[in-house]
Amino acid sequence: MMENIIELGTVEDSHELSLVHVKSWQESYAQLLEADFLATLDPNEREKNWRDNFLSPDFEVFIARNEKQAIIGFASLATRQYHGQPACF
């Protein structure tokens, strides 16, 4: 039986998170967005964003790992301003 693990992510996960993030956009939005746009998504750019996110004190990411310890999914939470009010995204 396969067992996945969910744990808090760390800045060291930024590279692998960026790969999963870009791939998820390319697969999930293939029928909704232009293929040219999806092809331009750059994991290296996303990695910098992930690293910056981890520096924020109001940011958390939970990652799902498979039995080989590869990241297979994630969920992130952060407090941001929305119409002048704090909100959690």
Side-chain angles (χ1 to χ4, degrees):
M1 183 171 142
M2 289 187 356
E3 188 170 320
N4 297 328
I5 299 168
I6 297 181
E7 62 188 15
L8 277 175
T10 66
V11 69
E12 288 80 17
D13 296 313
S14 295
H15 177 72
E16 195 172 356
L17 279 166
S18 69
L19 297 174
V20 172
H21 196 176
V22 167
K23 185 176 180 181
S24 70
W25 265 70
Q26 290 169 335
E27 291 178 1
S28 297
Y29 299 113
Q31 303 301 315
L32 301 171
L33 298 173
E34 295 290 326
D36 290 344
F37 168 75
L38 293 172
T40 66
L41 296 176
D42 183 2
N44 293 320
E45 268 184 36
R46 286 297 325 151
E47 183 175 356
K48 182 189 178 319
N49 291 340
W50 278 109
R51 288 187 180 284
D52 290 346
N53 284 337
F54 278 110
L55 296 175
S56 176
D58 64 346
F59 174 82
E60 296 286 351
V61 62
F62 294 90
I63 57 173
R65 293 187 185 275
N66 65 15
E67 68 281 354
K68 296 178 182 175
Q69 296 301 304
I71 296 175
I72 57 171
F74 65 89
S76 61
L77 300 167
T79 304
R80 301 285 189 255
Q81 291 292 315
Y82 184 72
H83 295 285
Q85 299 294 318
C88 188
F89 289 93

